[in-house]
Amino acid sequence: MQLQPHRKIGDYLSSIRKGDGKIYTDPEVTVEAELTAIPKHSDKPSKENRSFLKEKKVPLFNQAISFKRTLYIQTQGSVLRKEGERLIVEKNGKVLIDIPSLRINQIIIFGTCSITPASMQFCLMNNIPVTLLSSFGKYFGKLESTKGKSIELERLQYFTSVDEQLMLSLSKAVITGKIGNTRTLLQRASKRCKSKEVSEAIDLMKTELARVEKTDSIEKLRGIEGSSSAVYFGVFGRIFKTETGFFNAGFKRNRRPPRDPINSLLSFGYTLLSANIYSTLTAVGLNPYVGFYHVLKPGHPALASDLIEEFRHIIDSLVIQVINKGILTKKAFYFVKEPSMPCLLTNEGRKEFIRQFEIKMHRTTTHSPTGKKADYRRCIMLQAAQFTKVLRGGKHKYEPFRIKL
C-alpha cells in the first residue's frame, strides 16, 4: 500500500527530531544573545549579561557578538562606506559616524542615504543585514546574506506548516501573549487615568482571553484578535494626559498612511520592531517568510508578523511614554498636503523616537518563560530559540512572552 503524504512528512519530521542534534547549531549556546545591545554610554556587559554568558558557557568570541548595536543612517544625502574594518558615514566630505564594524549587528537606512558597493559586499560577507526604509519609515526591503541559512530547519518549517494542530497551538500562544500584554498596559494606565471606559475594556479583554483558549480554528482566532484589538484601541486615546494635547476619546487605529500623530508613532515603531525580529529570525536560521498564524503572501515575512504580536506592547508603551512625558510634542509631527493627509514625524522627531526605542530595547525585564533577567532584544532571541525547539520536538508547547502588572 502506498504511504500517504502526511505519513511521509510525519516520518521525515520524526527522523529529524530523533537525531543527535548535530543538524543544527544550538541557538541557546551560540546565538540567543547575538542581538543583545547595551546603552551607548557603556561598552561593558551588564552584571546580568555577564552572569548569563558565564552560565551558558558562551565562548569569548560569541560574547563579543552579544553586545552589538543597530546603526541607523538618517542624514539625507549621506553615504555609508567601508574603510578597513570600520564603517564610516559621511556627507560632503564630513564624517558623521566612524565605528568598528565588529560593534554593528544590523544597519537601517532611511530615505536618500546611500551605501557603496564595497560596503554592500562587506555587509553580505559578514552577515550584517541592511534594511531600507523611506525617510518617514515605510519599509522597502532588506539586503541580506544567505550565509548561515539552515536548509534542514527551513524544510522543517515548511513541513510543520501542514500540521494544523501545531499551527493552532502556536497561534493561540502568541495571541494569548498579545491580548494579555496589551490588557496589562491598560491595567497600568487605569491606575492613573481612572477611566470607566478603560476599566470596561479591561473586563472585555479578559473575556476575549478566555475565548482564545477555547477556540478550535485559526480563522476564529483571527476574529477574536480583531475584536480584542478594536476594544483595546477604542480606549487607547484615553490613556494620554489631557495637557499633552493628544488625549482622544474617539481614537481609531489607522495606517497606510497613518493620519494622526499617535498612529504615525505606532506604525513607525512597529516597523522598527519588525526589522529587529526579522534579523533575529535569520540569525537563528529560521525563514522569516514561513509563519503559522498570518496568511502566507508573496513578499510578506509572516513569521516575523507572527512573533511581533507578543511584543507589540513594547511599542505601545513607548508611545505612551514619549507623549505623556513630553519627550515628543506636536512640533515633532507634520501633515503632508495630499488627499490621504498622512501624518509624519519630522527629522528631529524621528531621531528622538529612535533614540527612545533603543533605550527601551536595552531595558532589563523578566523573560517570563524562563524567569531570567534580560533586555528586550534577548527576550526576542529567546522566543525565537524556543520556537525552534518546538519545531524540532524538543519542547511540547510554546510559551508566550508575558509582562507583569
Side-chain angles (χ1 to χ4, degrees), residues 26 70 213:
D26 183 0
T70 299
E213 188 59 36

Side-chain angles (χ1 to χ4, degrees), residues 51-70:
S51 299
F52 174 85
L53 295 167
K54 183 177 179 181
E55 176 187 340
K56 289 295 182 181
K57 299 179 181 178
V58 179
L60 288 175
F61 175 75
N62 286 332
Q63 290 189 31
I65 292 176
S66 298
F67 303 104
K68 295 189 175 185
R69 302 178 186 142
T70 299

Side-chain angles (χ1 to χ4, degrees), residues 26 46 68 116 120 131 165 177 206 254 271 304 334 343:
D26 183 0
S46 67
K68 295 189 175 185
T116 65
M120 286 187 196
T131 301
Q165 287 304 310
K206 183 178 180 180
N254 58 65
T271 298
Y334 69 97
C343 178

Side-chain angles (χ1 to χ4, degrees), residues 89-378:
V89 180
E90 61 182 18
K91 181 178 180 180
N92 299 329
K94 181 181 178 181
V95 176
L96 306 177
I97 300 173
D98 185 341
I99 190 168
S101 61
L102 286 174
R103 295 175 63 186
I104 300 300
N105 73 320
Q106 67 171 329
I107 299 171
I108 298 180
I109 298 178
F110 290 84
T112 58
C113 305
S114 59
I115 177 171
T116 65
S119 298
M120 286 187 196
Q121 295 170 11
F122 181 83
C123 290
L124 289 170
M125 291 173 63
N126 290 275
N127 203 25
I128 302 174
V130 180
T131 301
L132 303 175
L133 306 177
S134 71
S135 58
F136 51 87
K138 180 181 178 181
Y139 178 81
F140 286 144
K142 187 178 289 282
L143 174 70
E144 60 179 332
S145 172
T146 55
K147 181 181 178 181
K149 287 231 178 239
S150 172
I151 301 303
E152 289 297 332
L153 184 54
E154 194 164 319
R155 290 179 70 186
L156 186 58
Q157 280 183 264
Y158 281 112
F159 280 124
T160 53
S161 67
V162 300
D163 185 339
E164 294 182 359
Q165 287 304 310
L166 176 58
M167 297 299 100
L168 178 60
S169 174
L170 290 167
S171 299
K172 288 166 72 171
V174 297
I175 298 306
T176 294
K178 176 183 180 177
I179 297 176
N181 289 337
T182 50
R183 180 174 180 268
T184 298
L185 286 187
L186 291 185
Q187 288 177 301
R188 292 175 179 176
S190 68
K191 295 178 181 180
R192 177 188 57 80
C193 62
K194 305 294 183 183
S195 166
K196 181 185 73 171
E197 289 81 4
V198 172
S199 297
E200 289 174 350
I202 291 169
D203 292 338
L204 286 171
M205 292 179 74
K206 183 178 180 180
T207 302
E208 297 299 326
L209 267 176
R211 289 179 62 202
V212 169
E213 188 59 36
K214 297 176 182 178
T215 191
D216 57 2
S217 74
I218 291 180
E219 288 73 19
K220 292 179 182 177
L221 184 61
R222 292 187 183 118
I224 295 171
E225 182 209 358
S227 174
S228 175
S229 293
V231 170
Y232 172 66
F233 283 116
V235 297
F236 193 74
R238 296 176 179 273
I239 295 175
F240 302 104
K241 296 177 179 179
T242 307
E243 57 267 29
T244 65
F246 289 99
F247 178 90
N248 182 4
F251 177 82
K252 291 184 179 179
R253 181 77 177 103
N254 58 65
R255 53 183 183 151
R256 298 178 186 172
R259 296 188 292 276
D260 60 75
I262 300 303
N263 275 298
S264 184
L265 290 177
L266 290 171
S267 294
F268 183 47
Y270 293 152
T271 298
L272 295 178
L273 183 59
S274 180
N276 278 265
I277 291 175
Y278 185 109
S279 297
T280 303
L281 294 173
T282 57
V284 299
L286 290 164
N287 185 333
Y289 293 87
V290 184
F292 50 85
Y293 176 64
H294 287 85
V295 176
L296 301 184
K297 296 182 292 186
H300 174 234
L303 184 57
S305 294
D306 292 343
L307 294 187
I308 198 177
E309 299 297 356
E310 57 190 304
F311 290 103
R312 285 188 185 272
H313 69 279
I314 296 175
I315 302 304
D316 298 352
S317 61
L318 176 60
V319 171
I320 295 168
Q321 174 190 322
V322 298
I323 295 299
N324 281 345
K325 290 188 175 182
I327 297 172
L328 292 181
T329 65
K330 290 191 174 182
K331 293 181 180 179
F333 305 91
Y334 69 97
F335 288 88
V336 178
K337 293 183 178 180
E338 294 179 359
S340 56
M341 291 293 288
C343 178
L344 306 175
L345 279 160
T346 63
N347 288 336
E348 291 305 314
R350 184 185 66 245
K351 290 177 182 178
E352 181 59 33
F353 186 76
I354 289 174
R355 193 176 80 85
Q356 295 298 325
F357 172 77
E358 285 299 316
I359 292 172
K360 184 81 170 180
M361 295 299 285
H362 296 155
R363 190 163 297 159
T364 300
T365 185
T366 301
H367 179 249
S368 55
T370 63
K372 294 182 179 296
K373 294 292 183 181
D375 63 25
Y376 280 117
R377 277 197 173 91
R378 181 174 295 158

Side-chain angles (χ1 to χ4, degrees), residues 12 400 404:
Y12 174 77
K404 296 179 180 180

